[in-house]
Amino acid sequence: NGALTRDTYQVDMIQFYTICGVGDTFDPSITRAVGCPYAALWDFGDGTTAVGDSVSKTTYTDAGPHLVTLYLPDAQKWLTTIDVNTDKISGDFLATISKCTALTSIIANTNTAVTGDISSLSAMTGMTYLYLYDTAVTGDISSLSAMTGMTVLYLNNTAVTGNISSLSAMTAMTVLYLSNTAVTGNISSLSAM
């Protein structure tokens, strides 16, 4: 019950790259929905693995990139948060996780090289917390307009564009931080927040 093997669940995996190397700590974490009967299996891309929601690796022998694989059956249903803060993720991470429509929280912070179009997250209508800091994420912020339960939207040093008024239905918003983005529009359009 809940045991994972790479062979059994290879069809249901999330893969992304890290350029963590010698001396770096790679410690991604996830949260699974209540009732999830599965454990998460991580393959670090160098022949080592770990099981758990929060894992840590400090023994990469080179700078990679290393193809990391997260095995979690029915990830679309069970994966609710993913945190790769400071884990030196590279590549189109947003497209990689876009199939996980139950995600409510994504955190990618300093030291990541996350790329992708923010519109690939548009099906995640239950998203409440999106934190992208110092990433190369692009796209139109209006693609997030269906995320009406969003409470924290933090975009700093991204290439996201679009009109801020498209967020006016996000009336649950408690934190909106848009710095060094190309977002335009009149902040008064958000008066219902």
Side-chain angles (χ1 to χ4, degrees), residues 103-119:
L103 275 171
T104 60
S105 176
I106 300 171
I107 302 168
N109 199 347
T110 306
N111 260 347
T112 66
V114 169
T115 65
D117 187 324
I118 204 164
S119 67

Side-chain angles (χ1 to χ4, degrees), residues 6-192:
R6 284 175 280 188
D7 295 335
T8 304
Y9 295 114
Q10 197 162 13
V11 70
D12 200 1
M13 59 188 173
I14 299 162
Q15 293 185 305
F16 53 90
Y17 287 93
T18 181
I19 51 174
C20 281
V22 178
D24 292 327
T25 298
F26 177 68
D27 58 354
S29 65
I30 64 165
T31 304
R32 295 169 294 123
V34 173
C36 178
Y38 307 109
L41 172 66
W42 298 84
D43 182 324
F44 295 117
D46 66 348
T48 62
T49 62
V51 175
D53 292 350
S54 296
V55 295
S56 183
K57 179 174 178 62
T58 57
T59 56
Y60 280 120
T61 59
D62 62 77
H66 306 281
L67 179 62
V68 175
T69 306
L70 167 61
Y71 297 94
L72 182 66
D74 298 324
Q76 180 176 3
K77 173 182 177 181
W78 295 115
L79 185 63
T80 59
T81 69
I82 189 160
D83 182 340
V84 292
N85 185 20
T86 72
D87 287 320
K88 294 188 177 179
I89 305 305
S90 64
D92 192 343
F93 182 69
L94 300 187
T96 298
I97 60 173
S98 64
K99 69 178 182 177
C100 301
T101 54
L103 275 171
T104 60
S105 176
I106 300 171
I107 302 168
N109 199 347
T110 306
N111 260 347
T112 66
V114 169
T115 65
D117 187 324
I118 204 164
S119 67
S120 59
L121 305 180
S122 62
M124 298 176 181
T125 56
M127 183 72 62
T128 60
Y129 192 100
L130 181 59
Y131 191 102
L132 301 172
Y133 185 94
D134 285 344
T135 66
V137 172
T138 63
D140 189 331
I141 200 165
S142 68
S143 64
L144 306 181
S145 62
M147 299 176 181
T148 56
M150 183 78 73
T151 58
V152 174
L153 178 59
Y154 192 105
L155 301 176
N156 185 40
N157 290 334
T158 69
V160 173
T161 63
N163 192 316
I164 196 171
S165 65
S166 63
L167 306 181
S168 61
M170 294 181 178
T171 56
M173 186 80 67
T174 58
V175 175
L176 176 62
Y177 187 92
L178 302 173
S179 179
N180 295 322
T181 67
V183 172
T184 62
N186 190 330
I187 197 84
S188 66
S189 64
L190 306 180
S191 60

